Amino acid sequence: MSGWETVIGLEIHAQLATRSKIFSGSATAYGAPPNAQANLVDLGYPGVLPVLNAEAVRMAVKLGLAINARIAAQSVFARKNYFYQISQYELPIVAEGALDIVLDDGQVKRIGITRAHLEEDAGKSLHEGLPGVTGIDLNRAGTPLVEIVSEPHLRSAKEAVAYMKKVHTLVRYLEICDGNMQEGSFRCDANVSVRPAGAPKFGTRAEIKNLNSFRFVERAINYEVARQIDLLESGGQVVQETRLYDPDRGETRAMRSKEEANDYRYFPDPDLLPVMVDEALIASVRATLPELPDQKAARFASQYGLSAYDAGVLTASRELAAYYEEVVRELPQEPKLAANWVMGELAAALNKENLEVGSGKLPPARLAGLLRRICDQTISGKIAKEVFETMWSGGASADAVIDAQGLRQITDTAAIERVIDEVMARNPAQLAEYRAGKDKLFGFFVGQVMKATAGKANPAQLNELLRRKLGG
């Protein structure tokens, strides 16, 4: 695909974590029976009087402050002829922000955010289990969203995923969105185009709607880029349109010709008053800002001596960062060991069972207890992994598992020397070969001693004593 440049912009829809809808008192809970959570205000009936949810405004301001954006002193809602959906068009509440992403080569790239505006979600069509007819579920109608629109600064599917993950992390840190992609709380539309490398003008874009997983975002964009390049190289033209991604077939397909703003026909509603945000409100929201992901990652790197990569992984979720800090609080002298185990064994165990870090399966103090036994040489790192598995499945403490299974490491020099002598005596041929210059046999002797001690000989002591004995 050389000779072509990809241009991508994302429109991310984050469902705000309010208890009620943006203009009505209807609930926003997931999983209710169809149409059980929709009233006349949500449905846009003539004569209804929408009342703005103040908490949604505060959440939008919180996002704006976190991305260093301009918060509009006055923003305006309008209706559009699309289920009479209410949105902000000309004057959004947040504009001109940015987020930094880290590329594969470690470079930091700043992605501009054009705007973030408040709007209500629309209802959805249902077809499953309804042969020949279409069902309408309006529970989501009126659900508060903030739509975060990036500049077209993204140049690959990987960059798009990195940016989307960064936004996902941020809205969860801010506690303005639960980020649940399976339930539709966090999804995006991807605007994708290609142009000849170095060309000043953007190509014609296609918009891929409603992508609700990072994997689908990457696959859909890569497919769409290849489709557009093939089309252009064969003499065709890209048509501006809305497309859907079919994950089963791994392809995008046309849904409808792309709407522009004039197709939506935004129109003012006399019952939708301008939203006024004053400095007092901004100050009160600013006071609630948590330590943000980039700030936390920078602190982890400096305070705990971690690499930028490790700090980034550990701060990718607020819950994981809190778990790590609790482990380090118990074991302040070993921040790197704690990082390795939280990112390694713990993360793998959570992923295997599809659990969240706060599931309570292994509290931070318990993991710290295990790491403490590595530090004081009660057990080796290898045995610690076996102990971890038992702790994970059974819930016992590290000390209880170590004592029950007799796993305490042998650190008695005389005891290790006795085993080494026995191994050397049993393997005279290998001993002669080693002393004749076959250094690779050192590993053989280490393995034999470890086997004889059921893996409990202290590795550092064993290596030192073995070199001394073999060299004699």
Side-chain angles (χ1 to χ4, degrees):
M1 294 182 186
S2 59
W4 295 94
E5 182 181 44
T6 302
V7 178
I8 304 161
L10 295 188
E11 300 170 7
I12 293 174
H13 298 81
Q15 178 178 327
L16 295 175
T18 58
R19 289 194 297 273
S20 59
K21 294 187 176 178
I22 189 167
F23 293 110
S24 82
S26 297
T28 57
Y30 180 77
N35 302 306
Q37 295 180 171
N39 66 21
L40 298 182
V41 175
D42 308 323
L43 306 187
Y45 269 55
V48 296
L49 296 173
V51 178
L52 180 59
N53 187 330
E55 192 58 28
V57 175
R58 292 182 66 86
M59 289 179 175
V61 171
K62 199 173 187 180
L63 173 70
L65 292 173
I67 60 173
N68 294 310
R70 176 173 54 80
I71 312 297
Q74 177 177 310
S75 58
V76 175
F77 284 103
R79 287 194 185 271
K80 53 185 177 181
N81 285 340
Y82 179 75
F83 297 119
Y84 295 99
Q85 186 184 16
I86 298 172
S87 183
Q88 293 184 323
Y89 173 54
E90 291 180 306
L91 295 173
I93 191 166
V94 171
E96 299 169 15
L99 274 180
D100 292 340
I101 61 171
V102 180
L103 306 180
D104 285 346
D105 61 3
Q107 296 292 310
V108 175
K109 180 173 181 177
R110 178 151 294 181
I111 307 301
I113 295 175
T114 314
R115 58 189 281 144
H117 59 262
L118 287 164
E119 66 180 17
E120 58 178 3
D121 208 349
K124 64 179 181 180
S125 302
L126 302 174
H127 301 100
E128 193 173 337
L130 299 168
V133 297
T134 297
I136 302 295
D137 180 7
L138 295 169
N139 277 346
R140 289 197 67 87
T143 298
L145 305 177
V146 60
E147 181 175 339
I148 305 159
V149 182
S150 82
E151 294 282 348
H153 290 168
L154 302 159
R155 292 293 175 267
S156 70
K158 281 189 177 297
E159 286 188 15
V161 171
Y163 167 75
M164 190 176 178
K165 284 183 174 178
K166 190 66 176 281
V167 176
H168 186 257
T169 294
L170 181 62
V171 296
R172 293 184 69 217
Y173 261 75
L174 296 172
E175 297 181 313
I176 64 172
C177 174
D178 65 17
N180 192 318
M181 300 174 86
Q182 289 74 31
E183 295 179 1
S185 298
F186 190 88
R187 60 192 194 269
C188 88
D189 304 335
N191 290 290
V192 181
S193 66
V194 298
R195 63 181 174 184
K201 189 177 177 183
F202 291 147
T204 302
R205 74 183 187 276
E207 182 182 31
I208 312 169
K209 297 287 285 186
N210 288 330
L211 297 165
N212 67 345
S213 87
F214 300 123
R215 187 171 72 254
F216 291 170
V217 168
E218 184 166 10
R219 290 178 179 176
I221 290 174
N222 282 333
Y223 177 89
E224 184 59 24
V225 168
R227 183 190 74 86
Q228 292 187 20
I229 290 172
D230 287 346
L231 193 58
L232 292 168
E233 289 184 344
S234 62
Q237 285 190 323
V238 176
V239 177
Q240 185 170 333
E241 62 187 355
T242 299
R243 299 178 70 85
L244 288 178
Y245 176 65
D246 182 341
D248 295 326
R249 302 177 70 172
E251 64 184 24
T252 66
R253 60 173 181 265
M255 177 183 173
R256 58 176 180 261
S257 60
K258 171 61 183 167
E259 300 96 337
E260 295 289 2
N262 57 356
D263 293 315
Y264 287 128
R265 287 188 292 151
Y266 287 92
F267 61 93
D269 184 321
D271 295 321
L272 293 170
L273 301 177
V275 180
M276 312 301 290
V277 176
D278 59 20
E279 287 301 321
L281 175 61
I282 293 173
S284 70
V285 173
R286 194 187 302 277
T288 69
L289 284 177
E291 183 180 34
L292 297 175
D294 287 350
Q295 297 167 344
K296 194 180 287 288
R299 178 171 65 80
F300 275 26
S302 62
Q303 183 174 341
Y304 302 125
L306 302 178
S307 68
Y309 174 82
D310 287 356
V313 171
L314 289 168
T315 56
S317 89
R318 200 172 178 177
E319 296 80 9
L320 188 66
Y323 186 101
Y324 169 73
E325 290 217 271
E326 286 190 48
V327 175
V328 174
R329 202 171 293 122
E330 298 274 341
L331 207 68
Q333 71 277 21
E334 292 290 344
K336 179 57 179 171
L337 179 67
N340 290 344
W341 276 78
V342 170
M343 294 187 298
E345 303 307 307
L346 178 74
L350 290 167
N351 288 340
K352 187 176 180 181
E353 297 188 24
N354 198 27
L355 294 172
E356 295 294 326
V357 70
S359 66
K361 193 81 182 274
L362 187 69
R366 285 250 164 125
L367 179 59
L370 173 62
L371 303 186
R372 198 174 288 116
R373 295 297 163 255
I374 299 174
C375 296
D376 65 16
Q377 300 191 342
T378 299
I379 55 174
S380 67
K382 182 178 180 182
I383 289 178
K385 293 184 178 183
E386 298 172 18
V387 175
F388 176 90
E389 289 182 12
T390 305
M391 292 171 67
W392 185 261
S393 58
S397 69
D399 287 340
V401 175
I402 291 166
D403 290 338
Q405 298 185 13
L407 296 174
R408 289 186 182 275
Q409 190 165 240
I410 300 170
T411 56
D412 181 344
T413 299
I416 297 173
E417 283 184 330
R418 278 196 299 274
V419 178
I420 291 173
D421 289 339
E422 291 168 8
V423 168
M424 289 169 63
R426 284 200 305 269
N427 298 281
Q430 287 87 346
L431 180 60
E433 285 184 58
Y434 177 82
R435 286 176 172 164
K438 197 170 182 181
D439 294 343
K440 288 183 179 178
L441 281 169
F442 185 79
F444 165 78
F445 285 103
V446 170
Q448 290 299 305
V449 175
M450 279 297 189
K451 185 177 179 182
T453 61
K456 290 188 280 187
N458 177 278
Q461 282 180 276
L462 168 58
N463 276 271
E464 183 184 343
L465 294 170
L466 192 56
R467 287 192 190 283
R468 194 186 309 158
K469 291 268 187 182
L470 290 174

